[in-house]
Amino acid sequence: MTAAPDRPARLLLEGRRALVTGASSGIGLAVARELARAGAAVAVNYHSKAEPAEALAREIRDAGGQAVALGGDVSSEEGAVGLVEGTVSALGGIDLLVANSGIQKDAAVAEMSLKDWEAVIGVNLTGQFLCCREAIRAFRRGPGRPAGARGTIVCMSSVHEVIPWAGHVNYAASKGGIHMMMQTLAQEVAPDRIRVNAVAPGAIRTPINRDAWETEEALERLLRLIPYGRIGEPEDVARAVAWLSSDEADYVTGTTLFVDGGMSLYPGFVGNG
Ligand code: NAD
C-alpha cells in the first residue's frame, strides 16, 4: 500500500459543514474521518449500526473537531429530510453532502426478485436523489460563502456506472442512474454556484465486497482486474472526495472521478490483449 501524501499546511475544508451518508462502515466512515481531518464539521450518518458512527464522532471531537452521529434511512423521504435538517440544526448549516450509502443484493436476472431490485434502486439511486434534493434546498436557503461554491455534492458511484456487471443488474443500473442524475443536477444547479460530482471507486476493501478479497484465491482473481496491482483502501476514495469537495476543485462540476487502479481501462488488454 502506498503512503498518503503529506497533508497540506492549509486545511482544505476549514469552516465547512458536511453530511456523509452511510458513514458507519467502509468508504463512508473513511470519508467522514478525512473530511474532519481536513477541517470540516461532520454529521456521520448511520442506518442500523449506531455504535461505529458514535465512536467516530467521539474520535473527531476528542481530536478537537466537531461531529455528530445521526441515524436515518436515506431511502425514505422522511429519513433524507430528517438527515439534512439534523445536520443543519447540529452544525449550524450544511455546505457539503457526500451521498455514499449503498447496498448490493445480487442474483442472476431470472432469479432476481422485484423486492431486491427495488431495495437496491431505493437506497442507491432514490436515496441519493432525496439527499441531493434536500441538500440543494438547504444550500439555497443558506447565506452562501463569499467565494467558492455555495454548496458541493459528491455522489458515490462505482466503476459499474460504465462497466456492465452480470449477476448484479440492480446495482449496475443504480450506478448508471447515478451518473446521469449527477450530471443533470450539476447542469441544473451550477448557476446557483452549487457543484455536483461523483467518485467512482473500483474494488475497495470494505464489508460490501468481502467475498471478493477475503480469501487469497478470491483476491488473486480480483487483482487480475486491477492493472495497478493492489486492492483499493477506503482512504484512497476518501482523499479524492475531500479534494472534490474543496475549493481546490472549484471549477470541477458534472465530472466522475474514477478511483479504481485502472479497473475501468479494459484490463484484458494489458500486455497487448
Ligand atoms: P459498506 O457496506 O461498508 O457501506 C455502505 C453503507 O451504506 C453502510 O454504512 C450502510 O449502513 C449504509 N446504508 C445501507 N442502507 C442504508 C440506508 N437505507 N440509509 C442509510 N444508510 C444506508 O460498503 P462500502 O463499500 O463502504 O460502500 C459505500 C459506497 O461505495 C456504496 O455506495 C457502494 O456502492 C460504493 N462502492 C463501493 C465499492 C467497493 O469496492 N467497496 C466500489 C464501488 C462503489
Side-chain angles (χ1 to χ4, degrees), residues 8-252:
R10 184 171 58 83
L11 289 176
L12 276 182
L13 298 172
E14 191 81 68
R16 313 283 293 283
R17 295 142 314 172
L19 166 62
V20 184
T21 70
S24 60
S25 62
I27 292 172
L29 190 136
V31 166
R33 182 180 277 133
E34 182 65 21
L35 298 189
R37 253 161 52 99
V42 186
V44 183
N45 162 241
Y46 61 89
H47 180 222
S48 47
K49 289 191 197 136
E51 182 39 38
E54 303 278 6
L56 177 62
R58 265 195 313 276
E59 175 194 312
I60 292 169
R61 289 194 299 269
D62 288 349
Q66 197 186 349
V68 63
L70 289 181
D73 175 355
V74 298
S75 69
S76 87
E77 190 160 34
E78 201 186 14
V81 170
L83 280 175
V84 172
E85 275 177 1
T87 303
V88 170
S89 71
L91 307 181
I94 181 168
D95 311 287
L96 55 109
L97 166 70
V98 183
N100 165 76
S101 297
I103 57 172
Q104 274 182 233
K105 287 184 183 291
D106 311 328
V109 61
E111 275 77 54
M112 187 172 286
S113 64
L114 176 60
K115 189 163 161 266
D116 284 357
W117 169 269
E118 287 180 341
V120 169
I121 299 293
V123 174
N124 297 15
L125 186 56
T126 308
Q128 289 208 10
F129 159 72
L130 290 169
C131 291
C132 289
R133 187 190 69 187
E134 291 312 305
I136 288 165
R137 287 175 171 169
F139 295 156
R140 285 176 170 159
R141 277 194 301 269
R145 303 163 66 228
R150 169 181 284 271
T152 64
I153 295 175
V154 175
C155 296
M156 198 55 66
S157 183
S158 161
V159 287
H160 296 296
E161 75 166 47
V162 293
I163 302 178
W165 201 15
H168 308 258
V169 66
N170 48 3
Y171 186 84
S174 74
K175 297 300 184 181
I178 285 169
H179 173 70
M180 195 43 75
M181 180 189 76
M182 175 279 290
Q183 288 201 316
T184 300
L185 293 182
Q187 185 192 57
E188 187 171 328
V189 301
D192 298 320
R193 280 197 302 117
I194 297 171
R195 295 190 299 110
V196 188
N197 291 289
V199 166
I204 310 297
R205 196 194 309 267
T206 76
I208 211 172
N209 59 358
R210 190 178 293 281
D211 291 351
W213 50 262
E214 205 167 34
T215 66
E216 237 173 77
E217 197 189 9
L219 185 61
E220 202 228 318
R221 234 183 0 255
L222 178 66
L223 290 180
R224 280 186 230 139
L225 299 175
I226 310 173
Y228 202 57
R230 70 168 173 90
I231 189 169
E233 303 297 337
E235 293 72 22
D236 289 309
V237 181
R239 288 190 292 273
V241 171
W243 176 77
L244 261 183
S245 304
S246 77
D247 288 343
E248 300 285 303
D250 191 51
Y251 209 49
V252 182

